[in-house]
């Protein structure tokens, strides 16, 4: 019997209160002791990670620095290679200039050699013309004059940019063009044209600038007005070329009479009867055109050439852009025919270089194109290497900032 109001708990029944508590309280370790132990381990781990990270960043910086040096070494090598190519190209230009003007040793080609020499003399007779000044500078200063012309984008004088095998044809084509056109200066683009002549505030020609300044440097004054032909402003021929023709002649349809036959005495188109130096057959303009498609197609268009004046007159029904004959006949346009004595122009196209000299010239031209291709490739490599170097320097700077930040954090933690 127990006193009223009092209940007894059996001895084998445990107090459930400890079991009602969370599992986190089952550990006998005090809470503050666990926290202290965790903080100590984390600090050691963070310090070790900071050391590891700084070493890794330092290693990355060394690798990136080596890459920058490698790019700089590559640039140095490419610049030296470009300098050698520039020198080799200049040497070939001088050599080609000598081939162009030197006489061949064979007597059978003496007339051609004399004709080649005469073209310079013919131009120099016009001493007050722009062509005369350019001719005198080329004769006196050679390679230096060629370098000036290239810098200014001057291709040359019309009379010196083509050759004609037949002396009679050369004379008649020169007569057709006239002295003014034969002595015209040819430039690549309009910027080159404007660089040839400058003006003061009153609109007067500045005699100390451009081509006039070049004349003043050799005590010559350009008094005659002159034509300048801008190649990139001409409408080029855009048709096909004769297949496998090294001279890239234009594939023009031959004229036909109403009966469908080719006119008797037709010899060809003037634009295809001139010979152009290999250097000017391609890529004279930025669009890839040569002198035949631009300059001479603009000057001659589809000008037809006939043996005699009688043949030319008989072919009138199929002449659209003018015609000439070897005996002096000239039809400038349908309906306009030149009569009277032949008006001799004293500046003519020269004859082509002798065949053996031409072979040497072509081989030199081939080497020139190869060197120019190598130079273009080297310039592309230099641009690419410069971009890679700049990218490497940028990444190096970012990695260096990361490394400095890592060192700063590590020092503040200690």
């Amino acid at each position: 019997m127990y006193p009223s109001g009092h209940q007894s708990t059996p001895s084998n029944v445990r107090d459930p209160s400890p079991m009602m508590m969370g599992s986190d309280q089952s550990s006998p370790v005090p809470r503050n002791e666990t926290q202290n132990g965790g903080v100590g381990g984390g600090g050691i781990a963070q310090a070790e990670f900071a050391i590891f990270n700084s070493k890794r960043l330092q290693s990355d910086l060394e690798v990136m620095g080596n890459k920058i040096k490698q790019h700089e070494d590559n640039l140095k090598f490419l610049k030296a290679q470009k300098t050698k190519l520039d020198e080799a190209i200049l040497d070939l230009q001088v050599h080609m200039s000598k081939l162009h003007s030197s006489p061949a040793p064979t007597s059978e080609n003496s007339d051609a050699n004399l004709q080649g020499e005469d073209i310079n003399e013919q131009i120099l007779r016009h001493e007050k013309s722009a062509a005369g000044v350019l001719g005198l500078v080329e004769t006196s200063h050679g390679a230096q004059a060629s370098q000036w012309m290239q810098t200014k984008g001057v291709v040359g004088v019309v009379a010196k940019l083509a050759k004609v095998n037949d002396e009679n044809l050369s004379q008649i084509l020169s007569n057709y063009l006239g002295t003014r056109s034969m002595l015209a200066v040819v430039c690549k683009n309009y910027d080159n044209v404007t660089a040839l002549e400058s003006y003061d505030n009153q609109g007067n020609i500045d005699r100390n600038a451009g081509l006039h300044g070049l004349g003043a440097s050799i005590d010559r004054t350009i008094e005659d007005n002159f034509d300048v032909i801008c190649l990139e402003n001409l409408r080029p021929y855009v048709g096909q070329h004769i297949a496998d023709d090294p001279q890239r002649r234009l594939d023009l349809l031959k004229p036909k009479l109403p009966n469908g036959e080719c006119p008797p005495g037709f010899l060809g188109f003037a634009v295809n009867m001139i010979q152009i130096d290999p250097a000017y057959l391609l890529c004279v303009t930025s669009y890839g055109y040569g002198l035949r498609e631009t300059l001479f197609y603009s000057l001659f268009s589809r000008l037809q050439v006939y043996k005699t004046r009688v043949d030319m007159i008989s072919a009138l029904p199929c002449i659209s852009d003018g015609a000439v004959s070897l005996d002096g006949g000239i039809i400038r346009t349908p309906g306009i025919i030149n009569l009277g004595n032949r008006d001799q122009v004293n500046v003519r196209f020269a004859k082509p270089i002798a065949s053996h000299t031409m072979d040497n010239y072509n081989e030199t031209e081939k080497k020139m194109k190869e060197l120019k291709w190598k130079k273009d490739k080297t310039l592309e490599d230099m641009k690419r290497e410069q971009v890679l170097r700049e990218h490497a320097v940028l990444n190096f700077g970012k990695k260096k900032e990361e490394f400095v930040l890592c060192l700063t954090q590590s020092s503040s933690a200690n």
Side-chain angles (χ1 to χ4, degrees), residues 71 84 96 101 141 167 290 351 408:
H71 291 312
K84 290 181 180 179
M96 290 172 69
S101 58
H141 298 85
E167 185 174 351
K351 284 186 177 180
T408 303

Side-chain angles (χ1 to χ4, degrees), residues 343-401:
D343 183 17
Q344 296 279 2
V345 173
N346 61 6
V347 181
R348 301 182 302 276
F349 293 109
K351 284 186 177 180
I353 305 173
S355 59
H356 67 283
T357 308
M358 193 64 192
D359 291 340
N360 194 349
Y361 186 94
N362 289 337
E363 183 63 27
T364 305
E365 176 62 22
K366 183 179 178 181
K367 292 179 181 178
M368 173 74 78
K369 288 184 177 180
E370 183 179 350
L371 287 175
K372 287 183 176 180
W373 180 85
K374 288 182 178 179
K375 179 181 175 181
D376 292 340
K377 185 72 168 56
T378 301
L379 289 173
E380 291 177 3
D381 291 342
M382 288 175 63
K383 289 179 180 178
R384 182 168 56 253
E385 204 65 44
Q386 185 64 34
V387 170
L388 291 174
R389 179 192 173 278
E390 291 174 356
H391 185 67
V393 170
L394 181 64
N395 288 338
F396 182 86
K398 292 180 179 179
K399 187 66 68 173
K400 184 177 180 181
E401 290 177 0

Side-chain angles (χ1 to χ4, degrees), residues 5-78:
H6 178 77
Q7 294 183 350
S8 173
T9 302
S11 61
N12 62 341
V13 178
R14 299 181 59 183
D15 187 356
S17 58
M19 299 177 62
M20 302 283 295
M21 304 190 62
S23 60
D24 57 334
Q25 294 190 16
S26 61
S27 174
V29 182
R31 184 174 180 180
N32 60 346
E33 185 178 345
T34 303
Q35 291 176 343
N36 291 338
V39 171
I44 295 173
Q46 287 179 359
E48 292 177 349
F49 177 75
I51 294 173
F52 169 78
N53 195 33
S54 65
K55 290 182 178 180
R56 178 182 63 82
L57 292 172
Q58 188 173 3
S59 177
D60 290 346
L61 285 173
E62 291 178 358
V63 172
M64 297 172 95
N66 290 332
K67 284 186 177 180
I68 293 174
K69 186 178 184 303
Q70 181 180 355
H71 291 312
E72 290 176 344
D73 290 342
N74 291 343
L75 280 171
K76 185 177 179 181
F77 169 78
L78 291 170

Side-chain angles (χ1 to χ4, degrees), residues 151-372:
T151 302
K152 300 297 183 182
V154 176
V155 180
V157 176
V158 169
K160 298 184 69 174
L161 294 176
K163 293 178 174 59
V164 179
N165 278 309
D166 183 77
E167 185 174 351
N168 197 35
L169 177 60
S170 174
Q171 183 66 65
I172 194 64
L173 292 181
S174 300
N175 291 345
Y176 174 82
L177 293 178
T179 303
R180 188 180 183 89
S181 291
M182 289 293 286
L183 295 179
V185 178
V186 181
C187 291
K188 291 184 177 182
N189 56 53
Y190 188 70
D191 288 339
N192 303 145
V193 175
T194 57
L196 294 182
E197 191 167 87
S198 300
Y199 310 92
D200 59 22
N201 295 332
Q202 285 73 41
N204 299 315
I205 296 174
D206 184 354
R207 297 288 176 179
N208 296 315
L211 193 51
H212 296 276
L214 183 65
S217 68
I218 56 172
D219 296 326
R220 286 290 179 92
T221 301
I222 300 175
E223 296 183 1
D224 301 339
N225 60 7
F226 58 96
D227 290 339
V228 180
I229 300 174
C230 176
L231 294 179
E232 292 194 354
N233 282 29
L234 300 177
R235 180 176 295 178
Y237 168 80
V238 292
Q240 299 296 316
H241 295 79
I242 296 176
D244 301 322
D245 180 14
Q247 274 285 307
R248 289 178 56 80
R249 292 177 175 87
L250 312 184
D251 190 8
L252 302 173
L253 292 176
K254 292 182 179 180
K256 291 183 179 180
L257 294 169
N259 62 6
E261 295 181 358
C262 186
F266 173 74
L267 299 177
F269 292 97
V271 71
N272 283 339
M273 298 179 75
I274 59 175
Q275 181 173 305
I276 298 175
D277 291 336
Y280 299 127
L281 286 174
L282 281 169
C283 300
V284 179
T285 72
S286 59
Y287 300 103
Y289 296 114
L291 288 187
R292 197 182 299 279
E293 301 98 320
T294 54
L295 174 64
F296 292 107
Y297 184 70
S298 176
L299 291 174
F300 293 126
S301 187
R302 286 172 165 79
L303 181 73
Q304 300 172 20
V305 180
Y306 290 87
K307 286 184 179 179
T308 67
R309 185 182 279 104
V310 173
D311 292 331
M312 181 180 70
I313 298 300
S314 299
L316 277 175
C318 54
I319 294 175
S320 60
D321 293 315
V324 296
S325 64
L326 296 184
D327 57 359
I330 295 179
I331 298 176
R332 296 199 174 275
T333 59
I336 301 179
I337 302 174
N338 280 46
L339 299 176
N341 294 327
R342 180 186 295 188
D343 183 17
Q344 296 279 2
V345 173
N346 61 6
V347 181
R348 301 182 302 276
F349 293 109
K351 284 186 177 180
I353 305 173
S355 59
H356 67 283
T357 308
M358 193 64 192
D359 291 340
N360 194 349
Y361 186 94
N362 289 337
E363 183 63 27
T364 305
E365 176 62 22
K366 183 179 178 181
K367 292 179 181 178
M368 173 74 78
K369 288 184 177 180
E370 183 179 350
L371 287 175
K372 287 183 176 180

